[in-house]
Amino acid sequence: MNSSHKSHQLPLSHLLLALAIVAVWGTNFVVIKVSLREFPPFLFAALRYIFALLPLVFFVPRPKASWKNLCLYGCAIGVGQFGVMYFAIDGKISPGLASLVIQTQVFFTIGFAMFFAKEGLRLYQAVAVAIAMTGLGIIALHTDANTTFVGLALVLFSGFSWGVANTVSRRAGAINMFSYVVWASAFSIPPLLLISWFFEGGTEGMASAMTSATAWGWAGVLWQSWANTLFGYAAWGWLLSKHPAAVVAPAPLLVPIFGMGASAFFLSESLPLWKVMAAGLVITGLIINLFWPSLKKGLAKA
């Protein structure tokens, strides 16, 4: 679909879908933290995509996308984003800070769209992202979590990989995004298993982790596969196919807000005033990005 025919405003149903996606993604950082106690990171990522692929690949027809496109998406999202991010969260960066830094995907996604699809960045969109990023900056300045430069660099690379995956899925054209995510998972699995085999104890280490994992550990794997991969990324790719990247990409700026809320509820982390203020800035930026066209139209009619 040509970008000139895409809607520059999200209808209510699409807005609610975007909020559901980021809610799943935000709370997922708590699940990742707990699950990494039982699985090494790259094996955990491989299992995520194994259960996203099987058994659905036998029932879902292959999408109308090239093998090259599926391979690029599978490697970018599976290895570049999640494999690397799990590795970073496994002792190199806190889950809350990871949920913040990964939002650099917004800039990569919009930048790639401007370069490849020749999409323009409207002034109100730039202002909206700037306000939201100010909120994220406040979160970063107040974080008391221990982190490392390597952890920050790894999650930054994950954001870059997410931007690549967004761009690749949009270039696939009008396709069934559910089947696209299922089939692309086949290309995530081999490199993740190879990395796990090489760095995480070989066949013996991988087998030991799987046999010793508890029901909660496997529940975390299934949450990664079904809620995040099949629902989250299929729905996210569908939204990107319907709207310009600059309209959709800022939505995951809410992920750290859901991440903080989930951490406060499940992990008893504090929620001081500065966090509420930062959340307000992020939400303000999103409101401007989503509703400025209709607001401007309403003001013009007044």
Side-chain angles (χ1 to χ4, degrees):
M1 185 184 294
N2 189 285
S3 63
S4 61
H5 299 297
K6 293 180 180 180
S7 172
H8 288 272
Q9 181 181 356
L10 291 178
L12 179 61
S13 60
H14 292 195
L15 172 60
L16 293 175
L17 177 60
L19 289 175
I21 294 168
V22 297
V24 169
W25 285 344
T27 57
N28 186 52
F29 287 87
V30 173
V31 179
I32 292 171
K33 180 178 180 180
V34 174
S35 299
L36 285 172
R37 297 171 185 169
E38 304 196 33
F39 297 101
F42 287 101
L43 176 61
F44 184 43
L47 291 171
R48 168 191 180 131
Y49 288 99
I50 287 172
F51 285 100
L53 178 70
L54 301 174
L56 286 172
V57 71
F58 298 111
F59 304 99
V60 177
R62 180 193 159 194
K64 295 179 179 178
S66 68
W67 288 112
K68 178 182 178 181
N69 184 278
L70 287 168
C71 180
L72 288 173
Y73 181 86
C75 290
I77 208 76
V79 183
Q81 183 184 350
F82 279 100
V84 171
M85 187 175 72
Y86 290 174
F87 181 66
I89 292 176
D90 191 32
K92 300 169 186 64
I93 192 170
S94 70
L97 191 55
S99 73
L100 169 66
V101 178
I102 193 68
Q103 301 317 314
T104 53
Q105 67 86 17
V106 171
F107 303 108
F108 291 120
T109 299
I110 293 176
F112 290 147
M114 293 174 65
F115 182 80
F116 291 109
K118 310 302 181 184
E119 291 183 6
L121 181 67
R122 289 168 168 75
L123 178 60
Y124 77 88
Q125 291 169 339
V127 171
V129 172
I131 292 173
M133 289 306 296
T134 300
L136 294 178
I138 292 175
I139 298 172
L141 289 173
H142 284 81
T143 184
D144 58 2
N146 292 324
T147 189
T148 65
F149 176 79
V150 171
L152 287 171
L154 288 170
V155 180
L156 184 62
F157 179 78
S158 296
F160 171 83
S161 297
W162 190 357
V164 170
N166 287 338
T167 304
V168 170
S169 67
R170 297 179 79 235
R171 290 174 71 86
I175 55 174
N176 183 307
M177 282 307 303
F178 184 81
S179 64
Y180 182 79
V181 169
V182 170
W183 280 76
S185 295
F187 294 95
S188 303
I189 298 166
L192 287 169
L193 286 177
L194 184 62
I195 295 170
S196 179
W197 179 82
F198 195 82
F199 292 104
E200 296 174 346
T203 306
E204 184 178 342
M206 296 163 69
S208 176
M210 290 188 285
T211 55
S212 63
T214 66
W216 284 110
W218 286 106
V221 170
L222 296 180
W223 178 260
Q224 299 297 300
S225 301
W226 298 342
N228 279 273
T229 304
L230 297 182
F231 165 71
Y233 281 84
W236 176 249
W238 182 82
L239 284 175
L240 281 170
S241 72
K242 298 295 183 182
H243 303 280
V247 174
V248 181
L253 289 169
L254 272 176
V255 167
I257 309 307
F258 284 102
M260 286 191 299
S263 296
F265 185 81
F266 294 107
L267 304 177
S268 300
E269 293 188 8
S270 62
L271 195 63
L273 180 61
W274 67 263
K275 286 187 179 180
V276 177
M277 293 175 60
L281 284 170
V282 173
I283 293 171
T284 298
L286 288 169
I287 289 175
I288 292 173
N289 184 72
L290 295 171
F291 297 114
W292 178 254
S294 58
L295 178 62
K296 184 179 180 181
K297 192 177 299 183
L299 291 174
K301 292 180 179 179

